[in-house]
Amino acid sequence: PQLRVEDPANERIAAAYHAMHIMHVRTRRCEWNGSVDTKERRRRASRRRVAVSAGYANTFGTSFRVTTFGESHGKGVGCVIDGCPPRLPLNEKDLQKELDRRRPGQSIITTPRKEADACEILSGVVDGMTSGTPIAVLVRNKDQRSKDYSEMSVAYRPSHADATYDYKYGVRAVAGGGRSSARETIGRVAAGAVAKKLLQAVAGTEVLAFVSEVKDIKANNIDLDKFSMEDVEANMVRCPDPESAQAMIDQINQVRNRGESCGGVVTCVCRNVPRGLGAPVFDKLEADLAKAAMSLPATKGFEIGSGFAGSRMLGSEHNDEFYMENGIVRTRTNRSGGVQGGISNGEHIVIRIAFKPTSTIAVKQQTVTREGEETELRARGRHDPCVVPRAVPMVESMVALVLVDHLLQNHAQCGLLTDEMVANVAVEEEHAEEGSPSSLAGAT
C-alpha cells in the first residue's frame, strides 16, 4: 500500500520514507504500471506522503491502561480498561454509583441536559468478576440537541477549544464540543470506579474529593482526616461544610441567573496510600497526579501539599519532622502532601485543582468566524454555570487511576522478591562459593 505523510513540509522525512518504499517495492520485484510515463511517476512520487505514527492522547496509564472514546453528541461514550487483575468482584452497579455523581441534570446548579448515563459492561467481566481481559464500558447518549450549536459552527466561542481544534485538525465536531466536552469524562469515571474498588480491596486506600472553593467563597472547618463521602454528598455543591456550601450555592445561582459562569477549586484527599508508590525522576507520583488532574476539562491549576504557599516559607517552617508512632515512621505535619522525592510516604496525599469558569455563556461576546471575520456571539446550549460540583467524581477518578497504576508498577518492580527469597538466594550463593551442594538444588 502507498505510504502517507501527514506533514508535507517535512521533505527530508518524506524523501527517506519514499526511498524505503521504492526499495521495498523492488525487493518484492514489483513493477510500476507501464501505462504511466516516467515524468508522471516522478510527479506522483514527489507528492506521495508518508504516515508518521504518533500518539493521539486518548489512552492513559502504563500498567492499568484506560482508553476513552465517543463524543458529546455521538451515539455514545465509554472506555476500554486494560490491565485490571482478574478475580476482582465487579458489576454495573459499582460503576453506576460513580456515574450518577457525574451525570448532568442532577440539580439546579448543573446543566439541565437530561441523561441517565446508564452503563453497559460489554466485556471483561464474567459471573460478576473481572477476567483479566479488557473491560469495555458503554454509555449511550440520549438527550442531544445539536441545533443549539448552529452559531458555534461558524463563530468560535471565546476560551473554548473550538479554535484550537480547527488549528490542529482543520475539522471539528461542533455539536456539544465533541471530544472537548466534559461528556468525555464518563469513560474516566467508569474506569475510576474500577480503580477505586481495586485500591480499596488491595490496600484499603480511600480517595475522596470535595469542593473547597467557588469563586471567592472558601470552605472552612473541614477535617481532612474525618470527612466522609456522606458529608460530601449531603448537598448539591459537594462541600462538607454546610455553611460554606449554602453560600456557594447562592453564588452559583446568581451567576446562572445572569447567563454567566464561575470557577472554583476541588480538593482531593487520599487516605491509607501505601508507601513507595512513584519513582525518583520522570515518573514522580506528584508529576503523574498533576498530568492526570490537568487533563480534565477546564482545569487551570494544580497544587500538592503546601503548594505555592510553600514558596513563601523557610525550610525550618516547611519541613515535615519525623517521629515514631507504634513502630511506624510518621511526619508531624504534612506540607509535603504525602509525597517526598516523587514517592509516597504513607501520609495523606492532599491535592487541589483549580477550574476556570465555563467557557460557554449566554452573555454577548466579541469573537471571529472560521473565515476570520469579526462578529458577536451569544452562545446557546445547556451548560454548567460552575463545573466544580460535577468535577468532584472526575478528580477522584483520575487520582485513583494514577494510584492504581503506580500500585501495579510497584508490585511488578519491588513486590516479586520477598525477604525470604532474597535470604535463600544469599544462602545459595554462599554454598556455591564453598563448593558445597546448594540448599536450593533441585528446588522447583
Side-chain angles (χ1 to χ4, degrees), residues 204-278:
T205 302
E206 184 180 33
V207 181
L208 282 175
F210 63 91
V211 174
S212 53
E213 295 183 37
V214 167
K215 203 169 182 286
D216 54 355
I217 300 172
K218 295 184 179 182
N220 301 304
N221 306 317
I222 298 175
D223 189 336
L224 299 186
D225 293 327
K226 296 181 179 179
F227 83 94
S228 65
M229 175 73 77
E230 289 72 23
D231 297 329
V232 174
E233 295 297 318
N235 55 73
M236 67 180 73
V237 79
R238 294 199 167 94
C239 175
D241 174 25
E243 184 176 345
S244 299
Q246 187 56 54
M248 292 174 179
I249 293 171
D250 293 342
Q251 179 69 265
I252 295 173
N253 277 325
Q254 288 178 20
V255 300
R256 177 175 63 88
N257 291 335
R258 301 202 309 266
E260 271 282 9
S261 63
C262 62
V265 175
V266 172
T267 296
C268 186
V269 180
C270 310
R271 302 169 182 156
N272 300 319
V273 178
R275 299 179 180 188
L277 303 189

Side-chain angles (χ1 to χ4, degrees), residues 103-315:
R103 70 177 176 83
Q106 57 187 270
S107 73
I108 61 172
I109 61 172
T110 64
T111 170
R113 178 173 175 171
K114 297 295 183 182
E115 294 280 2
D117 284 354
C119 68
E120 305 170 49
I121 297 179
L122 306 181
S123 65
V125 177
V126 179
D127 296 329
M129 284 195 173
T130 58
S131 62
T133 58
I135 302 170
V137 181
L138 173 65
V139 171
R140 302 181 189 275
N141 294 328
K142 301 289 186 182
D143 188 27
Q144 308 99 310
R145 293 184 187 173
S146 299
K147 65 180 184 299
D148 289 347
Y149 293 82
S150 56
E151 295 94 340
M152 280 81 90
S153 65
V154 178
Y156 296 134
R157 285 170 286 180
S159 288
H160 201 277
D162 296 341
T164 51
Y165 270 47
D166 255 359
Y167 300 159
K168 182 174 179 66
Y169 302 110
V171 63
R172 60 188 170 94
V174 175
R179 289 288 283 172
S180 66
S181 168
R183 195 146 181 80
E184 176 272 334
T185 63
I186 283 177
R188 306 181 191 221
V189 173
V194 181
K196 290 171 76 172
K197 187 160 190 179
L198 183 57
L199 286 168
Q200 181 64 43
V202 173
T205 302
E206 184 180 33
V207 181
L208 282 175
F210 63 91
V211 174
S212 53
E213 295 183 37
V214 167
K215 203 169 182 286
D216 54 355
I217 300 172
K218 295 184 179 182
N220 301 304
N221 306 317
I222 298 175
D223 189 336
L224 299 186
D225 293 327
K226 296 181 179 179
F227 83 94
S228 65
M229 175 73 77
E230 289 72 23
D231 297 329
V232 174
E233 295 297 318
N235 55 73
M236 67 180 73
V237 79
R238 294 199 167 94
C239 175
D241 174 25
E243 184 176 345
S244 299
Q246 187 56 54
M248 292 174 179
I249 293 171
D250 293 342
Q251 179 69 265
I252 295 173
N253 277 325
Q254 288 178 20
V255 300
R256 177 175 63 88
N257 291 335
R258 301 202 309 266
E260 271 282 9
S261 63
C262 62
V265 175
V266 172
T267 296
C268 186
V269 180
C270 310
R271 302 169 182 156
N272 300 319
V273 178
R275 299 179 180 188
L277 303 189
V281 188
F282 298 112
D283 293 328
K284 283 181 166 64
L285 186 58
E286 68 261 50
D288 283 353
L289 287 169
K291 177 180 179 180
M294 295 299 290
S295 73
L296 287 168
T299 50
K300 285 299 177 185
F302 174 90
E303 287 186 330
I304 182 167
S306 62
F308 287 98
S311 66
R312 298 186 289 273
M313 303 171 71
L314 298 174

